[in-house]
Amino acid sequence: MFTNKLTTLALVLLFLSLQACDKQRTSQSDTTEVTYTLDRHEPSPMFWDYAASTSMLQTELGKLASEKSQDSMVLTFADSALVIHSKALTRLRSIAEKYKHIQLPDSLTGSDKEMVEEFKLLEGKEFEKRYLEYLVLNHKAQLNRYQETLSETEDPALRQWLNTMRARLRGQLQFYAEVDTVKEVD
């Protein structure tokens, strides 16, 4: 009889410990889910830096193209880049204000600064060719990066910004392609 009571007590303790372990496992998975959900609302600091730096770089190169180029097509692209990216940067800054730990860069640094310096050394057709190549490659990279971020965030203001930028960048790429096709026909 004493053995039966010990066996019963052991089984009850085993049952209770299994439930406690199961409860702890559930609690941990809930914590993981909450953390994941919070992370989905806010893109990584690298995204914010990329988006701001890219717009600042596009603006600087657009200004440089306006100063250096005589080609009306390049001037049109430069003016468009200035408008799109200066507005984008202003809007991005206002969205970032609600994230306390996000600090957007206020000037170009590193490789972006070096790229501007490289473009300053170019002249004439060489400048124009490199600028147009840069625009196409950069817009494609931005489209990819913004699509990734769009799938990661639930912030309505940021989603709107990303969708607007993607539409503008696709429009610019289409415009570049049309102009390029017209030049080939001429």
Side-chain angles (χ1 to χ4, degrees):
M1 178 121 154
F2 182 69
T3 310
N4 286 343
K5 286 185 178 181
L6 279 177
T7 306
T8 304
L9 182 61
L11 288 174
V12 167
L13 289 174
L14 180 63
F15 176 75
L16 290 174
S17 66
L18 286 174
Q19 280 199 326
C21 289
D22 187 45
K23 195 170 207 166
Q24 184 178 10
R25 190 179 77 231
T26 303
S27 174
Q28 288 173 343
S29 69
D30 289 345
T31 302
T32 302
E33 183 62 32
V34 169
T35 301
Y36 178 71
T37 302
L38 290 174
D39 287 346
R40 286 186 51 80
H41 291 289
E42 188 173 335
S44 73
M46 290 187 320
F47 159 76
W48 295 100
D49 184 65
Y50 173 82
S53 297
T54 302
S55 285
M56 284 189 291
L57 180 58
Q58 291 265 8
T59 302
E60 285 301 310
L61 292 178
K63 289 177 187 174
L64 199 55
S66 293
E67 295 167 7
K68 287 182 149 263
S69 182
Q70 301 299 316
D71 186 300
S72 62
M73 177 186 66
V74 172
L75 293 172
T76 300
F77 293 162
D79 288 343
S80 179
L82 283 167
V83 170
I84 289 171
H85 292 284
S86 61
K87 285 183 179 181
L89 186 57
T90 300
R91 180 69 180 125
L92 187 67
R93 284 192 171 123
S94 71
I95 295 168
E97 286 176 356
K98 69 180 169 184
Y99 296 101
K100 302 299 180 211
H101 70 280
I102 297 298
Q103 180 73 32
L104 294 181
D106 56 0
S107 62
L108 293 176
T109 60
S111 62
D112 291 340
K113 201 172 197 176
E114 290 172 10
M115 183 175 287
V116 171
E117 294 304 316
E118 287 176 27
F119 271 90
K120 283 181 179 178
L121 298 174
L122 300 174
E123 296 294 332
K125 294 293 180 195
E126 185 180 3
F127 173 88
E128 292 165 351
K129 181 180 183 250
R130 288 273 311 277
Y131 179 66
L132 295 175
E133 288 171 352
Y134 165 80
L135 287 176
V136 171
L137 291 174
N138 188 269
H139 283 23
K140 288 179 181 180
Q142 282 180 282
L143 281 170
N144 290 334
R145 184 65 185 266
Y146 293 167
Q147 178 59 45
E148 287 173 21
T149 303
L150 190 59
S151 67
E152 295 170 356
T153 187
E154 295 176 7
D155 179 332
L158 184 57
R159 289 182 66 79
Q160 181 182 17
W161 184 89
L162 289 163
N163 281 322
T164 299
M165 285 302 294
R166 289 175 61 239
R168 288 179 178 159
L169 293 169
R170 279 193 303 266
Q172 289 299 108
L173 284 172
Q174 184 177 356
F175 184 54
Y176 302 155
E178 289 170 4
V179 169
D180 195 41
T181 302
V182 169
K183 274 189 152 188
E184 288 177 11
V185 172
D186 291 344

